[in-house]
């Protein structure tokens, strides 16, 4: 059996920190681009493919058709949009994820990202690094989260945990936009109100956080037209998938002041090119950029969980045991989650994403 794992380079950090489990220092490869890459050369006869959302090996239909022995794809983390799921169904290739491995990690990162934007933290820190001290330049764009309206696009495993963590901040209101309502007891627990129209939803929010999957219905969901409906000066956080937000539209909205800030760790291409507009974009006051590499879901704690999840999935596969149903995205020739069934029959940009809570 040939197992191909595409992870990322850990460098000195991985040599010094043995708990960095998702790196090539564990004797696997990060070489994934082009026909001569380890990814494409070894994929042709691999039976098992292990990839990570943080350094995804993009498995297209064309590559799947060349991978005659491929039986199962395992995502070390959450989110398998780097795989052509319809092609996997057609070729009876299973796709599984360690579904609960990093939901807490990402939810915590979302709250951190909201705070660093609202409190204007990055420019304040940069000022200190420069040796300057002008409090008014920072305070003019710093706010409290208390009393603000915060909304999540997607109220599933991560989105709901974000709402839970925001309750103690005594916001004016917590909103959510999702294709289906939360169970009444779940909505009551976080005092969240559902808004069914996306434009109406964003128009009410001081802060919008994106916590939904990437698929045909959510790609470029946040675009120039939708951004016009945001509150002037709103903050936007995206730790879901970069391609949900149109890169140029977000940069233009930040530059104009329509957005006061944009923060996240996901990019439409990963690793992000050095000239990516999100690396250097600023608001009119020279701040508002909270972008970082894709690491929200790969803390040391999360890595331990998704390593254990991958081991469990691989062991079950090798021993021909049943898989945990929550981890199965694509079974043998069919979708196994409502999310995938829905995206495969998607028809409207305003009816999308199932991201189950439990």
């Amino acid at each position: 059996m040939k197992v191909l794992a595409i992870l990322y380079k850990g460098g000195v950090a991985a040599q010094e920190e043995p708990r960095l489990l998702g790196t090539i220092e564990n004797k696997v490869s990060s070489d994934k681009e082009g026909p001569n890459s380890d990814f494409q050369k070894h994929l042709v006869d691999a039976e098992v493919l292990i990839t990570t959302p943080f350094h995804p090996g993009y498995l297209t239909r064309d590559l799947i058709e060349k991978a005659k022995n491929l039986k199962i794809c395992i995502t070390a983390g959450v989110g398998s949009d780097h795989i052509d799921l319809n092609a996997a169904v057609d070729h009876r290739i299973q796709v599984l994820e360690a579904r609960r491995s990093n939901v807490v990690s990402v939810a915590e990162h979302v709250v951190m990202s909201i705070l660093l934007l609202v409190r204007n933290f990055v420019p304040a820190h940069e000022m200190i690094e420069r040796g300057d001290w002008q409090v008014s330049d920072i305070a003019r764009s710093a706010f409290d989260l208390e009393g603000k309206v915060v909304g999540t696009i997607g109220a599933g495993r991560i989105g709901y945990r974000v709402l839970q963590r925001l309750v103690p901040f005594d916001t004016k209101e917590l909103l959510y936009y999702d294709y289906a309502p939360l169970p009444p007891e779940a909505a009551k627990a976080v005092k969240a109100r559902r808004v069914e129209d996306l434009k109406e939803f964003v128009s009410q929010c001081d802060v919008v956080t994106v916590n939904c999957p990437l698929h045909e219905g959510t790609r470029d969901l946040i675009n120039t037209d939708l951004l016009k409906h945001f509150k002037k000066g709103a903050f936007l956080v995206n730790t879901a998938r970069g391609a949900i937000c149109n890169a140029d539209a977000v940069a233009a909205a930040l530059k104009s002041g329509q957005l006061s800030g944009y923060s996240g760790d996901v990019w439409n291409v990963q690793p992000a090119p050095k000239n990516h507009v999100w690396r250097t974009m600023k608001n009119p006051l020279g701040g508002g950029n909270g972008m970082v590499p894709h690491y929200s879901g790969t803390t040391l704690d999360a890595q331990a969980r998704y390593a254990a999840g991958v081991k469990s999935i691989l062991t079950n596969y090798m021993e021909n045991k049943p898989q945990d149903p929550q981890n199965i995205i694509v079974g043998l020739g069919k979708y196994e989650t409502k999310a995938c069934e829905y995206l495969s029959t998607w028809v409207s940009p305003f009816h999308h994403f199932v991201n189950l809570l439990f």
Side-chain angles (χ1 to χ4, degrees):
M1 177 188 297
K2 184 172 184 176
V3 178
L4 174 61
I6 301 295
L7 305 177
Y8 61 93
K9 293 180 181 179
V12 174
Q15 296 169 17
E16 296 176 348
E17 176 49 77
R19 290 174 294 176
L20 279 169
L21 303 176
T23 68
I24 64 169
E25 283 68 24
N26 289 301
K27 308 303 181 185
V28 293
S29 178
S30 67
D31 184 18
K32 66 186 183 74
E33 304 297 340
N36 295 320
S37 64
D38 287 343
F39 175 45
Q40 293 199 26
K41 285 191 296 185
H42 291 287
L43 183 64
V44 293
D45 60 349
E47 182 175 337
V48 178
L49 173 64
I50 301 172
T51 57
T52 167
F54 317 105
H55 185 75
Y58 293 99
L59 189 59
T60 63
R61 178 176 289 273
D62 179 61
L63 291 179
I64 284 176
E65 290 174 350
K66 296 175 182 177
K68 303 300 183 182
N69 293 335
L70 190 60
K71 299 292 189 298
I72 184 171
C73 299
I74 304 172
T75 298
V78 177
S80 296
D81 49 275
H82 55 287
I83 298 170
D84 187 324
L85 297 179
N86 288 329
V89 170
D90 294 342
H91 289 78
R92 297 179 62 80
I93 297 170
Q94 298 178 73
V95 180
L96 291 93
E97 302 177 352
R99 293 302 303 276
R100 295 181 186 228
S101 58
N102 58 12
V103 292
V104 168
S105 309
V106 177
E108 289 183 358
H109 192 101
V110 171
V111 176
M112 178 189 73
S113 298
I114 292 173
L115 288 171
L116 72 84
L117 288 181
V118 171
R119 299 307 296 260
N120 205 22
F121 175 84
V122 174
H125 180 68
E126 291 173 342
M127 176 182 286
I128 292 301
E129 287 187 321
R130 292 193 306 268
D132 296 334
W133 187 286
Q134 187 61 48
V135 174
S136 59
D137 285 353
I138 303 303
R140 68 187 296 186
S141 301
F143 302 90
D144 295 337
L145 189 56
E146 182 180 73
K148 304 300 186 292
V149 178
V150 184
T152 174
I153 299 177
R157 291 181 176 90
I158 294 172
Y160 188 76
R161 283 169 172 80
V162 170
L163 293 172
Q164 287 178 313
R165 283 153 178 78
L166 289 172
V167 170
F169 286 93
D170 196 21
T171 61
K172 180 178 181 180
E173 193 171 20
L174 294 176
L175 307 180
Y176 73 97
Y177 172 76
D178 207 324
Y179 97 106
L182 289 167
E185 63 275 14
K188 182 179 180 180
V190 294
K191 301 177 182 178
R193 175 170 64 88
R194 182 187 178 212
V195 180
E196 297 186 45
D197 180 83
L198 183 57
K199 292 180 179 178
E200 177 63 24
F201 166 82
V202 299
S203 73
Q204 298 180 43
C205 294
D206 299 300
V207 180
V208 174
T209 170
V210 181
N211 300 290
C212 63
L214 172 65
H215 54 70
E216 292 95 330
T218 59
R219 186 177 298 276
D220 277 348
L221 178 70
I222 297 181
N223 51 35
T224 299
D225 179 62
L226 185 62
L227 284 164
K228 294 176 182 177
H229 294 270
F230 275 60
K231 278 187 179 182
K232 177 76 172 180
F235 299 96
L236 176 59
V237 173
N238 178 16
T239 57
R241 285 297 182 266
I244 295 173
C245 296
N246 182 278
D248 291 333
V250 166
L254 189 61
K255 182 178 180 180
S256 71
Q258 177 63 13
L259 289 178
S260 286
Y262 181 83
S263 183
D265 68 324
V266 288
W267 306 70
N268 55 342
V269 178
Q270 294 185 179
K274 291 185 177 181
N275 63 349
H276 197 293
V277 67
W278 285 356
R279 287 184 181 266
T280 56
M281 62 184 181
K282 302 285 185 181
N283 65 24
L285 296 177
N289 188 332
M291 291 303 296
V292 296
H294 191 177
Y295 83 102
S296 65
T298 189
T299 62
L300 293 179
D301 301 296
Q303 288 191 41
R305 291 191 293 267
Y306 66 66
V310 169
K311 180 181 178 181
S312 175
I313 292 169
L314 189 56
T315 299
N316 289 339
Y317 173 75
M318 295 175 70
E319 296 179 359
N320 198 28
K321 293 180 179 179
Q323 299 284 358
D324 185 338
Q326 72 167 349
N327 291 332
I328 307 174
I329 307 302
V330 175
L332 289 174
K334 61 178 182 176
Y335 288 106
E336 294 289 353
T337 70
K338 292 180 180 179
C340 291
E341 290 171 0
Y342 191 83
L343 71 88
S344 68
T345 57
W346 173 83
V347 293
S348 166
F350 299 111
H351 293 80
H352 50 268
F353 54 77
V354 176
N355 195 10
L356 298 178
L357 186 54
F358 301 111

